[in-house]
Amino acid sequence: MPGGWPQQLIGVAAVAGWLTLLAIAARQVRQRWNGQREWSRKLVHIGTGAVVPIAWACGTNRLIAIPAAGAITLLAALNHRFRLLPAIEDVGRRSYGTVAYGASITLLLLLFWPQQPAAVAAGVLVMAVGDGLAGLLGPLVASPSWQLWGQRKSVVGTAAMAAGSLAMLLLVRQLALNTGLPHPELSPLLAITAVAVLLEQVAVGGLDNFTVPLAAGWLWQLLS
């Protein structure tokens, strides 16, 4: 196995440790700010994005990464059904976002891992940070807003999505440069950002958690 079993085990331990810390932090946030149920969920949403760069840095093998992502998606589905970890799912509205998020990561890994880890990282981080910031700042900062299929969107939330997405794409581009991988230039990055922002507007039932990462990852690979 590339990198050897010791390196693979280090990667698994690093990812598992990070996810454990996220779960603990989400529970603490939920207990401290019980009136803000979305905060703990968004903490996990944003923090989960770091899993791909960790796996990339550790050289995690495809035979480990894909089953692990699939297992996490299955656990997310079980948690959605039974509310085993309310800090992740209990937001008072019907959403399959966490399950869709896990499914999109699994599919990105199937498509691009490990030959094109930057494409996977781009898709996941755009969703994690861009959408996460939109979900946090949109409700907190008053700004003009509108409704799309029952979902409230705002100028601040949309701007946060755009800024967070572009920042993550620039970060992944730098990582790709450092490792000698193909990468888009600035203009294509702006185009990917625009597509991600448009898809995030259609967030019915958490659908954007599936469409945004896949579109961003696919466009990254296409435009590199």
Side-chain angles (χ1 to χ4, degrees):
M1 178 173 290
W5 280 109
Q7 181 178 336
Q8 297 302 314
L9 290 175
I10 290 172
V12 170
V15 169
W18 177 249
L19 291 177
T20 300
L21 287 175
L22 273 182
I24 294 171
R27 181 167 182 172
Q28 293 300 313
V29 168
R30 174 65 179 269
Q31 291 176 347
R32 184 174 180 83
W33 293 284
N34 192 42
Q36 298 289 345
R37 295 186 174 185
E38 190 74 25
W39 290 7
S40 60
R41 187 172 183 265
K42 288 303 181 184
L43 174 64
V44 174
H45 185 92
I46 293 172
T48 300
V51 166
V52 173
I54 291 172
W56 184 0
C58 294
T60 302
N61 188 271
R62 179 182 178 89
L63 295 176
I64 293 176
I66 294 173
I72 291 171
T73 303
L74 177 60
L75 291 174
L78 291 172
N79 189 55
H80 181 272
R81 174 66 178 83
F82 298 108
R83 296 297 194 271
L84 303 174
L85 293 173
I88 297 175
E89 277 292 350
D90 189 8
V91 293
R93 56 184 168 82
R94 189 176 184 83
S95 174
Y96 296 92
T98 53
V99 181
Y101 193 21
S104 68
I105 295 174
T106 304
L107 188 51
L108 282 170
L109 290 169
L110 280 167
L111 290 172
F112 302 124
W113 195 268
Q115 290 81 8
Q116 301 176 68
V120 181
V124 173
L125 288 173
V126 161
M127 189 64 210
V129 177
D131 180 74
L133 289 177
L136 284 175
L137 297 179
L140 285 177
V141 182
S143 68
S145 62
W146 54 93
Q147 294 276 337
L148 282 176
W149 293 285
Q151 301 291 315
R152 177 185 175 273
K153 299 295 176 179
S154 69
V155 170
V156 167
T158 302
M161 174 67 184
S165 297
L166 182 57
M168 290 302 100
L169 290 172
L170 289 170
L171 173 62
V172 176
R173 182 177 184 274
Q174 187 59 50
L175 293 174
L177 274 168
N178 293 343
T179 53
L181 292 174
H183 54 273
E185 297 303 324
L186 181 58
S187 294
L189 292 186
L190 294 173
I192 296 172
T193 299
V195 170
V197 169
L198 288 173
L199 288 173
E200 193 270 339
Q201 297 290 302
V202 186
V204 179
L207 176 66
D208 57 324
N209 285 262
F210 189 76
T211 59
V212 171
L214 288 178
W218 178 73
L219 287 172
W220 177 283
Q221 181 272 337
L222 180 69
L223 298 172
S224 293

PDB file of all heavy atoms in Angstrom, residues 22 25-31 33 36-45 86-91 136:
ATOM      1  N   LEU A  22     -14.322  17.562  16.904  1.00  0.00           N
ATOM      2  CA  LEU A  22     -15.465  18.315  16.376  1.00  0.00           C
ATOM      3  C   LEU A  22     -16.758  17.945  17.102  1.00  0.00           C
ATOM      4  O   LEU A  22     -17.564  18.815  17.448  1.00  0.00           O
ATOM      5  CB  LEU A  22     -15.631  18.030  14.888  1.00  0.00           C
ATOM      6  CG  LEU A  22     -14.840  18.883  13.905  1.00  0.00           C
ATOM      7  CD1 LEU A  22     -15.187  18.458  12.477  1.00  0.00           C
ATOM      8  CD2 LEU A  22     -15.115  20.357  14.094  1.00  0.00           C
ATOM      9  N   ALA A  25     -16.673  19.450  20.547  1.00  0.00           N
ATOM     10  CA  ALA A  25     -16.869  20.899  20.472  1.00  0.00           C
ATOM     11  C   ALA A  25     -18.321  21.244  20.145  1.00  0.00           C
ATOM     12  O   ALA A  25     -18.890  22.185  20.720  1.00  0.00           O
ATOM     13  CB  ALA A  25     -15.926  21.491  19.432  1.00  0.00           C
ATOM     14  N   ALA A  26     -18.932  20.490  19.237  1.00  0.00           N
ATOM     15  CA  ALA A  26     -20.325  20.746  18.881  1.00  0.00           C
ATOM     16  C   ALA A  26     -21.246  20.548  20.087  1.00  0.00           C
ATOM     17  O   ALA A  26     -22.186  21.327  20.307  1.00  0.00           O
ATOM     18  CB  ALA A  26     -20.751  19.825  17.739  1.00  0.00           C
ATOM     19  N   ARG A  27     -20.953  19.524  20.860  1.00  0.00           N
ATOM     20  CA  ARG A  27     -21.776  19.287  22.048  1.00  0.00           C
ATOM     21  C   ARG A  27     -21.625  20.423  23.056  1.00  0.00           C
ATOM     22  O   ARG A  27     -22.608  20.864  23.669  1.00  0.00           O
ATOM     23  CB  ARG A  27     -21.383  17.956  22.691  1.00  0.00           C
ATOM     24  CG  ARG A  27     -22.205  17.616  23.920  1.00  0.00           C
ATOM     25  CD  ARG A  27     -22.024  16.190  24.355  1.00  0.00           C
ATOM     26  NE  ARG A  27     -22.846  15.870  25.497  1.00  0.00           N
ATOM     27  CZ  ARG A  27     -22.995  14.654  25.989  1.00  0.00           C
ATOM     28  NH1 ARG A  27     -22.381  13.636  25.404  1.00  0.00           N
ATOM     29  NH2 ARG A  27     -23.752  14.440  27.045  1.00  0.00           N
ATOM     30  N   GLN A  28     -20.410  20.925  23.214  1.00  0.00           N
ATOM     31  CA  GLN A  28     -20.181  22.033  24.129  1.00  0.00           C
ATOM     32  C   GLN A  28     -20.894  23.300  23.663  1.00  0.00           C
ATOM     33  O   GLN A  28     -21.487  24.028  24.464  1.00  0.00           O
ATOM     34  CB  GLN A  28     -18.679  22.298  24.267  1.00  0.00           C
ATOM     35  CG  GLN A  28     -17.900  21.187  24.963  1.00  0.00           C
ATOM     36  CD  GLN A  28     -18.394  20.928  26.377  1.00  0.00           C
ATOM     37  OE1 GLN A  28     -18.583  21.852  27.152  1.00  0.00           O
ATOM     38  NE2 GLN A  28     -18.591  19.652  26.700  1.00  0.00           N
ATOM     39  N   VAL A  29     -20.831  23.548  22.368  1.00  0.00           N
ATOM     40  CA  VAL A  29     -21.521  24.726  21.821  1.00  0.00           C
ATOM     41  C   VAL A  29     -23.023  24.590  22.026  1.00  0.00           C
ATOM     42  O   VAL A  29     -23.712  25.554  22.379  1.00  0.00           O
ATOM     43  CB  VAL A  29     -21.175  24.890  20.321  1.00  0.00           C
ATOM     44  CG1 VAL A  29     -22.091  25.914  19.657  1.00  0.00           C
ATOM     45  CG2 VAL A  29     -19.722  25.305  20.161  1.00  0.00           C
ATOM     46  N   ARG A  30     -23.536  23.392  21.790  1.00  0.00           N
ATOM     47  CA  ARG A  30     -24.972  23.153  21.957  1.00  0.00           C
ATOM     48  C   ARG A  30     -25.401  23.399  23.403  1.00  0.00           C
ATOM     49  O   ARG A  30     -26.456  23.986  23.673  1.00  0.00           O
ATOM     50  CB  ARG A  30     -25.292  21.724  21.531  1.00  0.00           C
ATOM     51  CG  ARG A  30     -26.730  21.278  21.789  1.00  0.00           C
ATOM     52  CD  ARG A  30     -27.717  22.083  20.946  1.00  0.00           C
ATOM     53  NE  ARG A  30     -29.074  21.625  21.205  1.00  0.00           N
ATOM     54  CZ  ARG A  30     -29.672  20.665  20.517  1.00  0.00           C
ATOM     55  NH1 ARG A  30     -29.039  20.080  19.516  1.00  0.00           N
ATOM     56  NH2 ARG A  30     -30.900  20.312  20.797  1.00  0.00           N
ATOM     57  N   GLN A  31     -24.591  22.960  24.355  1.00  0.00           N
ATOM     58  CA  GLN A  31     -24.931  23.133  25.760  1.00  0.00           C
ATOM     59  C   GLN A  31     -24.835  24.593  26.202  1.00  0.00           C
ATOM     60  O   GLN A  31     -25.644  25.075  26.982  1.00  0.00           O
ATOM     61  CB  GLN A  31     -24.025  22.260  26.625  1.00  0.00           C
ATOM     62  CG  GLN A  31     -24.295  20.766  26.472  1.00  0.00           C
ATOM     63  CD  GLN A  31     -23.322  19.908  27.251  1.00  0.00           C
ATOM     64  OE1 GLN A  31     -22.296  20.377  27.725  1.00  0.00           O
ATOM     65  NE2 GLN A  31     -23.636  18.625  27.380  1.00  0.00           N
ATOM     66  N   TRP A  33     -24.906  27.412  24.170  1.00  0.00           N
ATOM     67  CA  TRP A  33     -25.827  28.280  23.441  1.00  0.00           C
ATOM     68  C   TRP A  33     -26.984  27.447  22.911  1.00  0.00           C
ATOM     69  O   TRP A  33     -27.138  27.290  21.697  1.00  0.00           O
ATOM     70  CB  TRP A  33     -25.093  28.977  22.296  1.00  0.00           C
ATOM     71  CG  TRP A  33     -24.051  29.957  22.754  1.00  0.00           C
ATOM     72  CD1 TRP A  33     -24.254  31.201  23.266  1.00  0.00           C
ATOM     73  CD2 TRP A  33     -22.630  29.754  22.747  1.00  0.00           C
ATOM     74  NE1 TRP A  33     -23.050  31.793  23.579  1.00  0.00           N
ATOM     75  CE2 TRP A  33     -22.038  30.937  23.267  1.00  0.00           C
ATOM     76  CE3 TRP A  33     -21.792  28.706  22.349  1.00  0.00           C
ATOM     77  CZ2 TRP A  33     -20.664  31.072  23.406  1.00  0.00           C
ATOM     78  CZ3 TRP A  33     -20.436  28.844  22.494  1.00  0.00           C
ATOM     79  CH2 TRP A  33     -19.876  30.018  23.006  1.00  0.00           C
ATOM     80  N   GLN A  36     -29.277  28.598  20.107  1.00  0.00           N
ATOM     81  CA  GLN A  36     -28.731  28.730  18.751  1.00  0.00           C
ATOM     82  C   GLN A  36     -28.354  27.342  18.227  1.00  0.00           C
ATOM     83  O   GLN A  36     -27.188  26.984  18.128  1.00  0.00           O
ATOM     84  CB  GLN A  36     -27.496  29.654  18.764  1.00  0.00           C
ATOM     85  CG  GLN A  36     -27.787  31.068  19.207  1.00  0.00           C
ATOM     86  CD  GLN A  36     -28.592  31.844  18.170  1.00  0.00           C
ATOM     87  OE1 GLN A  36     -28.713  31.435  17.014  1.00  0.00           O
ATOM     88  NE2 GLN A  36     -29.136  32.979  18.573  1.00  0.00           N
ATOM     89  N   ARG A  37     -29.352  26.578  17.881  1.00  0.00           N
ATOM     90  CA  ARG A  37     -29.119  25.186  17.489  1.00  0.00           C
ATOM     91  C   ARG A  37     -28.308  25.066  16.203  1.00  0.00           C
ATOM     92  O   ARG A  37     -27.625  24.078  15.982  1.00  0.00           O
ATOM     93  CB  ARG A  37     -30.454  24.463  17.335  1.00  0.00           C
ATOM     94  CG  ARG A  37     -31.223  24.333  18.648  1.00  0.00           C
ATOM     95  CD  ARG A  37     -32.453  23.492  18.460  1.00  0.00           C
ATOM     96  NE  ARG A  37     -33.110  23.254  19.744  1.00  0.00           N
ATOM     97  CZ  ARG A  37     -34.166  22.458  19.896  1.00  0.00           C
ATOM     98  NH1 ARG A  37     -34.671  21.826  18.844  1.00  0.00           N
ATOM     99  NH2 ARG A  37     -34.711  22.282  21.075  1.00  0.00           N
ATOM    100  N   GLU A  38     -28.408  26.069  15.331  1.00  0.00           N
ATOM    101  CA  GLU A  38     -27.680  26.010  14.065  1.00  0.00           C
ATOM    102  C   GLU A  38     -26.170  26.109  14.269  1.00  0.00           C
ATOM    103  O   GLU A  38     -25.392  25.624  13.447  1.00  0.00           O
ATOM    104  CB  GLU A  38     -28.160  27.143  13.147  1.00  0.00           C
ATOM    105  CG  GLU A  38     -27.655  27.059  11.720  1.00  0.00           C
ATOM    106  CD  GLU A  38     -28.339  25.970  10.910  1.00  0.00           C
ATOM    107  OE1 GLU A  38     -29.486  25.600  11.239  1.00  0.00           O
ATOM    108  OE2 GLU A  38     -27.732  25.493   9.939  1.00  0.00           O
ATOM    109  N   TRP A  39     -25.733  26.743  15.364  1.00  0.00           N
ATOM    110  CA  TRP A  39     -24.303  26.978  15.558  1.00  0.00           C
ATOM    111  C   TRP A  39     -23.511  25.685  15.663  1.00  0.00           C
ATOM    112  O   TRP A  39     -22.440  25.555  15.058  1.00  0.00           O
ATOM    113  CB  TRP A  39     -24.082  27.838  16.800  1.00  0.00           C
ATOM    114  CG  TRP A  39     -24.533  29.256  16.639  1.00  0.00           C
ATOM    115  CD1 TRP A  39     -25.211  29.786  15.575  1.00  0.00           C
ATOM    116  CD2 TRP A  39     -24.348  30.331  17.562  1.00  0.00           C
ATOM    117  NE1 TRP A  39     -25.471  31.123  15.780  1.00  0.00           N
ATOM    118  CE2 TRP A  39     -24.946  31.489  16.985  1.00  0.00           C
ATOM    119  CE3 TRP A  39     -23.747  30.433  18.809  1.00  0.00           C
ATOM    120  CZ2 TRP A  39     -24.947  32.716  17.630  1.00  0.00           C
ATOM    121  CZ3 TRP A  39     -23.751  31.658  19.457  1.00  0.00           C
ATOM    122  CH2 TRP A  39     -24.338  32.784  18.866  1.00  0.00           C
ATOM    123  N   SER A  40     -23.996  24.746  16.462  1.00  0.00           N
ATOM    124  CA  SER A  40     -23.257  23.491  16.631  1.00  0.00           C
ATOM    125  C   SER A  40     -23.213  22.722  15.311  1.00  0.00           C
ATOM    126  O   SER A  40     -22.190  22.115  14.961  1.00  0.00           O
ATOM    127  CB  SER A  40     -23.887  22.632  17.729  1.00  0.00           C
ATOM    128  OG  SER A  40     -25.234  22.312  17.414  1.00  0.00           O
ATOM    129  N   ARG A  41     -24.304  22.778  14.577  1.00  0.00           N
ATOM    130  CA  ARG A  41     -24.351  22.080  13.290  1.00  0.00           C
ATOM    131  C   ARG A  41     -23.370  22.698  12.301  1.00  0.00           C
ATOM    132  O   ARG A  41     -22.667  21.985  11.572  1.00  0.00           O
ATOM    133  CB  ARG A  41     -25.776  22.128  12.733  1.00  0.00           C
ATOM    134  CG  ARG A  41     -26.000  21.303  11.483  1.00  0.00           C
ATOM    135  CD  ARG A  41     -27.493  21.275  11.162  1.00  0.00           C
ATOM    136  NE  ARG A  41     -27.769  20.435  10.008  1.00  0.00           N
ATOM    137  CZ  ARG A  41     -27.873  20.873   8.766  1.00  0.00           C
ATOM    138  NH1 ARG A  41     -27.686  22.159   8.516  1.00  0.00           N
ATOM    139  NH2 ARG A  41     -28.151  20.052   7.785  1.00  0.00           N
ATOM    140  N   LYS A  42     -23.311  24.020  12.273  1.00  0.00           N
ATOM    141  CA  LYS A  42     -22.397  24.689  11.351  1.00  0.00           C
ATOM    142  C   LYS A  42     -20.942  24.498  11.763  1.00  0.00           C
ATOM    143  O   LYS A  42     -20.046  24.484  10.911  1.00  0.00           O
ATOM    144  CB  LYS A  42     -22.733  26.175  11.243  1.00  0.00           C
ATOM    145  CG  LYS A  42     -24.017  26.451  10.483  1.00  0.00           C
ATOM    146  CD  LYS A  42     -23.978  25.861   9.069  1.00  0.00           C
ATOM    147  CE  LYS A  42     -25.244  26.139   8.294  1.00  0.00           C
ATOM    148  NZ  LYS A  42     -25.240  25.479   6.962  1.00  0.00           N
ATOM    149  N   LEU A  43     -20.695  24.374  13.045  1.00  0.00           N
ATOM    150  CA  LEU A  43     -19.339  24.077  13.498  1.00  0.00           C
ATOM    151  C   LEU A  43     -18.864  22.755  12.904  1.00  0.00           C
ATOM    152  O   LEU A  43     -17.738  22.653  12.387  1.00  0.00           O
ATOM    153  CB  LEU A  43     -19.291  24.012  15.027  1.00  0.00           C
ATOM    154  CG  LEU A  43     -17.955  23.566  15.639  1.00  0.00           C
ATOM    155  CD1 LEU A  43     -16.854  24.569  15.333  1.00  0.00           C
ATOM    156  CD2 LEU A  43     -18.096  23.369  17.139  1.00  0.00           C
ATOM    157  N   VAL A  44     -19.707  21.742  12.965  1.00  0.00           N
ATOM    158  CA  VAL A  44     -19.363  20.445  12.372  1.00  0.00           C
ATOM    159  C   VAL A  44     -19.259  20.564  10.857  1.00  0.00           C
ATOM    160  O   VAL A  44     -18.340  20.015  10.228  1.00  0.00           O
ATOM    161  CB  VAL A  44     -20.414  19.385  12.763  1.00  0.00           C
ATOM    162  CG1 VAL A  44     -20.146  18.069  12.036  1.00  0.00           C
ATOM    163  CG2 VAL A  44     -20.405  19.172  14.271  1.00  0.00           C
ATOM    164  N   HIS A  45     -20.176  21.312  10.274  1.00  0.00           N
ATOM    165  CA  HIS A  45     -20.199  21.495   8.823  1.00  0.00           C
ATOM    166  C   HIS A  45     -18.883  22.104   8.327  1.00  0.00           C
ATOM    167  O   HIS A  45     -18.278  21.622   7.369  1.00  0.00           O
ATOM    168  CB  HIS A  45     -21.373  22.411   8.464  1.00  0.00           C
ATOM    169  CG  HIS A  45     -21.585  22.600   7.002  1.00  0.00           C
ATOM    170  ND1 HIS A  45     -22.422  21.799   6.264  1.00  0.00           N
ATOM    171  CD2 HIS A  45     -21.079  23.503   6.130  1.00  0.00           C
ATOM    172  CE1 HIS A  45     -22.426  22.197   5.008  1.00  0.00           C
ATOM    173  NE2 HIS A  45     -21.611  23.243   4.896  1.00  0.00           N
ATOM    174  N   PRO A  86     -27.851  15.045  18.764  1.00  0.00           N
ATOM    175  CA  PRO A  86     -28.722  16.165  18.416  1.00  0.00           C
ATOM    176  C   PRO A  86     -27.958  17.431  18.022  1.00  0.00           C
ATOM    177  O   PRO A  86     -28.453  18.240  17.247  1.00  0.00           O
ATOM    178  CB  PRO A  86     -29.527  16.403  19.706  1.00  0.00           C
ATOM    179  CG  PRO A  86     -29.459  15.112  20.438  1.00  0.00           C
ATOM    180  CD  PRO A  86     -28.129  14.528  20.116  1.00  0.00           C
ATOM    181  N   ALA A  87     -26.752  17.602  18.527  1.00  0.00           N
ATOM    182  CA  ALA A  87     -25.985  18.808  18.217  1.00  0.00           C
ATOM    183  C   ALA A  87     -25.684  18.921  16.734  1.00  0.00           C
ATOM    184  O   ALA A  87     -25.424  20.008  16.222  1.00  0.00           O
ATOM    185  CB  ALA A  87     -24.672  18.808  19.003  1.00  0.00           C
ATOM    186  N   ILE A  88     -25.733  17.795  16.017  1.00  0.00           N
ATOM    187  CA  ILE A  88     -25.428  17.798  14.581  1.00  0.00           C
ATOM    188  C   ILE A  88     -26.685  17.929  13.743  1.00  0.00           C
ATOM    189  O   ILE A  88     -26.688  18.570  12.698  1.00  0.00           O
ATOM    190  CB  ILE A  88     -24.665  16.513  14.202  1.00  0.00           C
ATOM    191  CG1 ILE A  88     -23.315  16.477  14.940  1.00  0.00           C
ATOM    192  CG2 ILE A  88     -24.456  16.407  12.702  1.00  0.00           C
ATOM    193  CD1 ILE A  88     -22.552  15.193  14.729  1.00  0.00           C
ATOM    194  N   GLU A  89     -27.802  17.364  14.211  1.00  0.00           N
ATOM    195  CA  GLU A  89     -28.984  17.271  13.367  1.00  0.00           C
ATOM    196  C   GLU A  89     -30.174  18.119  13.803  1.00  0.00           C
ATOM    197  O   GLU A  89     -30.955  18.554  12.965  1.00  0.00           O
ATOM    198  CB  GLU A  89     -29.454  15.815  13.291  1.00  0.00           C
ATOM    199  CG  GLU A  89     -28.716  14.996  12.271  1.00  0.00           C
ATOM    200  CD  GLU A  89     -29.009  15.406  10.835  1.00  0.00           C
ATOM    201  OE1 GLU A  89     -29.933  16.205  10.596  1.00  0.00           O
ATOM    202  OE2 GLU A  89     -28.303  14.939   9.944  1.00  0.00           O
ATOM    203  N   ASP A  90     -30.345  18.363  15.073  1.00  0.00           N
ATOM    204  CA  ASP A  90     -31.583  18.957  15.566  1.00  0.00           C
ATOM    205  C   ASP A  90     -31.591  20.466  15.346  1.00  0.00           C
ATOM    206  O   ASP A  90     -31.155  21.235  16.201  1.00  0.00           O
ATOM    207  CB  ASP A  90     -31.746  18.631  17.061  1.00  0.00           C
ATOM    208  CG  ASP A  90     -33.116  19.038  17.576  1.00  0.00           C
ATOM    209  OD1 ASP A  90     -33.956  19.424  16.746  1.00  0.00           O
ATOM    210  OD2 ASP A  90     -33.330  18.972  18.800  1.00  0.00           O
ATOM    211  N   VAL A  91     -32.094  20.898  14.187  1.00  0.00           N
ATOM    212  CA  VAL A  91     -32.130  22.328  13.874  1.00  0.00           C
ATOM    213  C   VAL A  91     -33.551  22.831  13.647  1.00  0.00           C
ATOM    214  O   VAL A  91     -33.744  23.959  13.209  1.00  0.00           O
ATOM    215  CB  VAL A  91     -31.273  22.632  12.623  1.00  0.00           C
ATOM    216  CG1 VAL A  91     -29.815  22.385  12.918  1.00  0.00           C
ATOM    217  CG2 VAL A  91     -31.730  21.818  11.436  1.00  0.00           C
ATOM    218  N   LEU A 136     -24.044  30.874   9.054  1.00  0.00           N
ATOM    219  CA  LEU A 136     -23.804  31.544  10.332  1.00  0.00           C
ATOM    220  C   LEU A 136     -24.071  33.038  10.261  1.00  0.00           C
ATOM    221  O   LEU A 136     -24.756  33.609  11.112  1.00  0.00           O
ATOM    222  CB  LEU A 136     -22.356  31.304  10.780  1.00  0.00           C
ATOM    223  CG  LEU A 136     -22.019  29.927  11.345  1.00  0.00           C
ATOM    224  CD1 LEU A 136     -20.531  29.832  11.621  1.00  0.00           C
ATOM    225  CD2 LEU A 136     -22.807  29.658  12.628  1.00  0.00           C
TER     226      LEU A 136
END
